Amino acid sequence: MDIRTTERLEPLDAGKCILCGLCVQACESMGACAISTINRGVDKEINTPYGAASDDCIGCLSCANVCPTDSIPFMEDSMTRTIWNRTFELSRCKECGRVLGTQQMSDMELCDACRRKAIANELAETYRFV
């Protein structure tokens, strides 16, 4: 490629949505359907209906994780996660305290590792050789 050609090209803004639709597909595959493309033409964007906090969003971060340009902002601290103008309380494993996700995502009480350990202990007690 000629150097004059690359001088004419503008670098892509990191964090600028390219309207690929991967986030919308990820949201739909989770069963939430909280975001979609809105507006038309040059005003087209990915957002919640009317830009308000969506009751359908479960705070799973699927949309942010598949975004190739990191243009879906979210914040997370030790107790809450905020995405799409909505704040979610995080649920934790009862045994080890690891974050399981948001309370809207599932009603699980144990992480995978603690659940496997509990099942193994139960099986050991049930089939213990004397």
Side-chain angles (χ1 to χ4, degrees):
M1 209 195 274
D2 189 356
I3 193 161
R4 291 173 292 179
T5 306
T6 58
E7 290 173 358
R8 293 184 307 174
L9 299 176
E10 294 179 24
L12 183 65
D13 275 345
K16 180 160 174 48
C17 181
I18 57 173
L19 299 173
C20 64
L22 289 174
C23 55
V24 175
Q25 291 175 8
C27 188
E28 287 175 358
S29 70
M30 292 298 292
C33 299
I35 58 174
S36 63
T37 55
I38 59 171
N39 300 327
R40 294 186 201 177
V42 296
D43 294 328
K44 189 174 184 178
E45 64 179 338
I46 307 290
N47 208 336
T48 58
Y50 305 107
S54 175
D55 291 335
D56 295 330
C57 183
I58 59 174
C60 63
L61 296 183
S62 294
C63 55
N65 290 331
V66 300
C67 182
T69 60
D70 292 330
S71 62
I72 300 175
F74 67 92
M75 292 177 25
E76 188 171 301
D77 59 26
S78 63
M79 301 301 289
T80 61
R81 175 184 293 164
T82 303
I83 187 167
W84 298 113
N85 302 318
R86 188 163 174 209
T87 301
F88 300 91
E89 191 172 328
L90 296 175
S91 62
R92 297 185 171 278
C93 176
K94 286 175 32 177
E95 292 292 321
C96 67
R98 182 180 295 150
V99 173
L100 297 173
T102 63
Q103 292 179 348
Q104 288 79 3
M105 287 173 60
S106 71
D107 56 353
M108 293 184 348
E109 295 181 347
L110 297 174
C111 66
D112 290 338
C114 293
R115 190 172 40 248
R116 282 194 299 267
K117 187 189 301 183
I119 291 170
N121 288 338
E122 184 178 325
L123 289 173
E125 289 296 320
T126 304
Y127 298 108
R128 183 169 299 240
F129 291 103
V130 180

